[in-house]
Amino acid sequence: MRLRKLEEKDTAGMLEWMHDEETQKTFRRNMLGKTQEEVLEFINNAEIYPTEKESIHYAIVDSSDEYEGTVSLKNIDRENKNAEYAISMRKKARGTGSAYEATEEILKIAFEEIRLERVYLNVLEENKRAICFYEKNGWIYEGKFKKHLYLEGDYHDLRWYAILKEEYLQTHKGEEE
C-alpha cells in the first residue's frame, strides 16, 4: 500500500464505492447519483498538500498502483491546528490492511508534516464496521451528538472520535528512532 495523488484512472474505482448501495448506507451524503464527470472534477481539483482549499485527498493504491480507496484530511484549520479525517475503501480492498496503513500515513502527514494537534472524525452510530476499525486503531471516543442528522426520513446519532498529537507520538515514538 502507498498513497499518491488521485489520477483520472481512479475514476471507475471511486464510482464503484460511491455507487455501492451497502456502502452508501454509511454516508451522510448521497453519492449514488455521482457522475463520472463529477468524480473527474473532484480528482482534478484534489490536492495532496494543504493550499487555500485546506483539504487534502490521497489515492490509496496497492503494489500494482490499482486504486483501493481515498483517505483525506478535510477542513484543515491552521489556527486551531486540527483537521477532519475521512476514508472510503472499495469492497475488494476491505480487510487487506490497506485502510490501517493509509490511516497511519495520513496521521503521520497530519502530525509530523502539517503539525496539527488534533485529528477528528465523526461516524453514524449504526456504522458498526467503521466504529470497530476506529476503536481498534486507537481513535478515542469523545461523545455522541444525538439525533444530529436527518437522513432517509429518520434522525441518526453521530459519534465523534479523535487522536491528539501527543497520543500519536506516544504510540509511534519507537518508529522515529
Side-chain angles (χ1 to χ4, degrees):
M1 184 294 312
R2 69 183 176 86
L3 301 183
R4 66 157 166 75
K5 185 168 178 50
L6 286 163
E7 299 175 0
E8 288 188 13
K9 67 181 180 179
D10 303 327
T11 304
M14 289 182 77
L15 283 168
E16 181 183 306
W17 61 257
M18 288 177 177
H19 291 171
D20 180 71
E21 290 189 26
E22 181 184 327
T23 300
Q24 182 60 51
K25 292 176 187 174
T26 66
F27 286 172
R28 293 178 6 193
R29 287 182 206 86
N30 189 329
M31 300 274 198
L32 294 172
K34 288 290 183 189
T35 65
Q36 183 172 337
E37 292 74 25
E38 289 171 315
V39 172
L40 280 170
E41 182 179 349
F42 177 83
I43 288 170
N44 290 328
N45 290 316
E47 297 288 342
I48 58 171
Y49 302 106
T51 63
E52 67 280 348
K53 294 179 185 175
E54 298 303 328
S55 290
I56 57 175
H57 308 279
Y58 286 87
I60 304 164
V61 297
D62 65 13
S63 59
S64 302
D65 199 45
E66 183 179 352
Y67 174 86
E68 295 185 313
T70 303
V71 65
S72 306
L73 290 174
K74 303 185 309 185
N75 307 313
I76 298 171
D77 181 341
R78 292 187 180 276
E79 181 179 347
N80 295 299
K81 297 187 180 286
N82 64 59
E84 180 180 1
Y85 160 94
I87 192 165
S88 296
M89 300 294 291
R90 293 173 66 189
K91 269 189 182 178
K92 69 186 270 177
R94 293 180 194 157
T96 65
S98 290
Y100 172 79
E101 291 178 48
T103 299
E104 288 292 302
E105 287 297 313
I106 201 81
L107 289 174
K108 183 177 182 177
I109 291 166
F111 294 124
E112 297 180 20
E113 293 179 26
I114 305 173
R115 306 230 181 264
L116 299 176
E117 288 295 320
R118 180 173 184 273
V119 177
Y120 63 91
L121 65 88
N122 59 67
V123 58
L124 291 170
E125 185 160 59
E126 56 267 25
N127 190 349
K128 302 300 184 197
R129 179 183 178 94
I131 290 168
C132 182
F133 173 79
Y134 301 138
E135 291 178 351
K136 178 181 166 191
N137 291 293
W139 293 85
I140 307 299
Y141 176 67
E142 293 189 327
K144 181 190 318 188
F145 285 13
K146 295 179 181 179
K147 293 188 174 186
H148 189 70
L149 297 172
Y150 186 75
L151 303 169
E152 305 288 322
D154 201 8
Y155 287 97
H156 298 265
D157 296 344
L158 204 56
R159 294 175 62 104
W160 290 83
Y161 290 82
I163 293 180
L164 301 178
K165 183 176 187 175
E166 60 260 25
E167 294 162 345
Y168 168 83
L169 292 175
Q170 191 170 24
T171 60
H172 294 80
K173 64 178 153 186
E175 297 173 12
E176 295 174 11
E177 298 169 0

